[in-house]
Amino acid sequence: MVRFGVLGTGRIAHDFVSSFKNVNGSEIVSVGSRNKADAQKFAEEHNIPNYGTYDELVSDKHVDVVYIATPHSTHCANTLLALNANKHVLCEKTFAMNTKQAKEMVETAKNKNLFIMEANWMLCFPLIQKTLQMVKEGVIGDVQMLHASLGFNSEGRELDLKMGGGSLLACGIYPITFATVLFGAAPSEIQASGSLAHNGADEQVSITLTYNECRHDGSIKKKIAILSSSFCSWIPSDAVIIGSKGTIRINDLFVCPNKITISVMGRPDNVIEEPFPVNDSKFNFPNSQGLSYEADHVAKCIQGGLKESYLVPTELTLRNMNIIDRVREIIGLKFDEDSC
Ligand SMILES: NC(=O)C1=CN([C@@H]2O[C@H](COP(=O)(O)OP(=O)(O)OC[C@H]3O[C@@H](n4cnc5c(N)ncnc54)[C@H](OP(=O)(O)O)[C@@H]3O)[C@@H](O)[C@H]2O)C=CC1
Ligand SMILES: O=C1OC[C@@H](O)[C@H](O)[C@H]1O
């Protein structure tokens, strides 16, 4: 049995806890809030036995792992709070405001011999793993390109620069993650273009990552990922992996899919569907019942004594953070944390 504590009582905290109807052998035992009354309300709503402040949550002896469900700008401090209280950590995406913070979080977990993982739930979906497996098996030949985008028309807290708001950290992290798992290495070239809102937060970003691969004759083959995120439009939120023999489309929303379409030249399309876990809870975000895959994975890792996830390793998180830092530099997206 792995016992989760939830830090923060916002929208994703609600969805994560509700997904536990489909989680076996783990439970939510405590919740922490900046305001104890909010923690109590959340605990009552979700039948959670313990509640308190963040400090009380991380020092609760019943808690094994703390799920950080707060805005980006608070991930580093909240993660360090939990690690320093000897709790394992599952921290929401995007993991940190920059690589410097991310390294400190990962180093602290390592020094304390604790588990740490970015809550990049996309990689825990069965159809995402199936897609990656098919690519590896060469179903669509040699992968040449990736097209992936995610976004919606947003406003309010999600565009608050002080909290790491904007489409890049909220949505762009997923297309970037997909490119990183698909192409394996760090990109040899990063190009980007972005539009900033009046407060300096990004409204939409387009990124081209180029990966150099050495051919047998020593020449360079360039593989390309074309990625975008948006908070000012209903951009198509799918991903297409383009290979020498065909494509795999991960249907909208590609970060939490229940359908993929495999098109191989000369053959009829093959559609694979994987129904979501059945859960009648009311969720804030689409397909959040699939957060149970992530919770199950974390529990399995912790029970197995792992200090890292094999689906979302810290190396992947740090590689993504490096890409995000460079994209921010190119488009002029600045956070206060950059000067700390
Ligand atoms: N995996 C997924 O599908 C999704 C992940 N996310 C990620 O989850 C995280 C939280 O997002 P979301 O739930 O939408 O955010 P919300 O604004 O809905 O909730 C955030 C919570 O964090 C706490 N908090 C701590 N400090 C602050 C602060 N300065 N301002 C506001 N709230 C604060 C609050 O809880 P309290 O007052 O109780 O401490 C608040 O309710 C982000 O990293 C986001 O990227 C978001 C949506 C979907
Ligand atoms: O993190 C996220 O993942 C799924 C999307 O539906 C959500 O809007 C986004 O914030």
Side-chain angles (χ1 to χ4, degrees):
M1 151 88 68
V2 173
R3 300 162 306 173
F4 285 75
V6 176
L7 193 149
T9 59
R11 295 170 302 171
I12 196 64
H14 167 90
D15 284 10
F16 184 76
V17 171
S18 299
S19 81
F20 268 63
K21 279 187 187 164
N22 302 102
V23 172
N24 289 320
S26 304
E27 56 182 89
I28 308 278
V29 296
S30 192
V31 57
S33 173
R34 290 174 298 174
N35 173 347
K36 209 162 171 171
D38 288 344
Q40 181 176 9
K41 188 161 165 263
F42 190 93
E44 283 167 3
E45 187 186 341
H46 292 284
N47 268 320
I48 299 172
N50 300 313
Y51 63 86
T53 61
Y54 291 172
D55 283 325
E56 286 167 335
L57 169 73
V58 301
S59 47
D60 184 336
K61 64 179 189 322
H62 301 104
V63 172
D64 300 311
V65 51
V66 174
Y67 168 56
I68 310 289
T70 56
H72 307 129
S73 56
T74 64
H75 288 178
C76 181
N78 291 334
T79 293
L80 296 179
L81 183 75
L83 292 172
N84 287 323
N86 295 312
K87 303 298 185 200
H88 302 296
V89 166
L90 170 66
C91 176
E92 256 312 330
K93 40 58 64 173
T94 287
F95 195 59
M97 296 291 273
N98 53 36
T99 304
K100 188 167 172 248
Q101 285 192 343
K103 277 187 176 161
E104 187 182 359
M105 294 154 74
V106 168
E107 278 306 307
T108 306
K110 200 174 267 175
N111 292 339
K112 300 206 69 111
N113 202 25
L114 290 163
F115 175 85
I116 191 162
M117 172 182 144
E118 180 180 27
N120 205 319
W121 69 319
M122 172 179 80
L123 295 177
C124 303
F125 270 74
L127 277 184
I128 295 289
Q129 288 306 322
K130 182 156 190 71
T131 301
L132 294 171
Q133 184 57 33
M134 284 192 297
V135 167
K136 209 165 156 189
E137 287 163 5
V139 171
I140 55 166
D142 195 19
V143 173
Q144 308 292 328
M145 271 201 190
L146 166 71
H147 287 185
S149 50
L150 179 69
F152 46 94
N153 207 332
S154 176
E155 51 191 25
R157 213 268 300 134
E158 279 168 326
L159 273 164
D160 187 337
L161 187 66
K162 291 257 173 252
M163 285 190 242
S167 78
L168 182 63
L169 267 55
C171 296
I173 180 67
Y174 293 112
I176 291 170
T177 298
F178 212 91
T180 302
V181 287
L182 200 61
F183 295 110
S188 44
E189 219 179 302
I190 300 177
Q191 291 163 307
S193 175
S195 151
L196 304 184
H198 58 89
N199 69 346
D202 75 275
E203 292 178 323
Q204 58 177 351
V205 181
S206 151
I207 304 165
T208 304
L209 304 177
T210 306
Y211 296 85
N212 283 353
E213 250 184 46
C214 211
R215 291 197 189 98
H216 292 306
D217 64 2
S219 64
I220 298 293
K221 162 87 193 176
K222 289 177 187 278
K223 304 205 162 176
I224 302 164
I226 300 170
L227 317 172
S228 1
S229 62
S230 177
F231 262 174
C232 59
S233 67
W234 292 93
I235 193 170
S237 292
D238 56 3
V240 188
I241 305 161
I242 302 160
S244 51
K245 290 195 209 153
T247 62
I248 303 180
R249 176 180 298 274
I250 310 175
N251 294 76
D252 199 328
L253 287 168
F254 87 88
V255 307
C256 42
N258 62 353
K259 186 174 160 188
I260 58 175
T261 307
I262 302 120
S263 311
V264 175
M265 280 297 292
R267 287 196 217 152
D269 281 1
N270 176 16
V271 176
I272 303 180
E273 298 191 60
E274 168 89 33
F276 297 125
V278 177
N279 187 326
D280 61 2
S281 306
K282 195 171 174 303
F283 290 104
N284 293 305
F285 296 101
N287 312 344
S288 275
Q289 56 273 48
L291 286 162
S292 62
Y293 299 130
E294 177 182 72
D296 277 333
H297 171 67
V298 169
K300 193 171 154 195
C301 290
I302 291 174
Q303 276 167 332
L306 302 184
K307 303 302 173 220
E308 289 233 6
S309 154
Y310 48 90
L311 297 180
V312 194
T314 56
E315 192 190 351
L316 170 106
T317 293
L318 292 173
R319 189 161 284 170
N320 289 341
M321 288 304 323
N322 269 318
I323 295 171
I324 288 174
D325 282 0
R326 178 66 190 130
V327 168
R328 290 204 295 113
E329 200 176 18
I330 297 170
I331 67 173
L333 172 58
K334 297 189 177 76
F335 295 141
D336 290 347
E337 288 76 2
D338 297 337
S339 48
C340 299

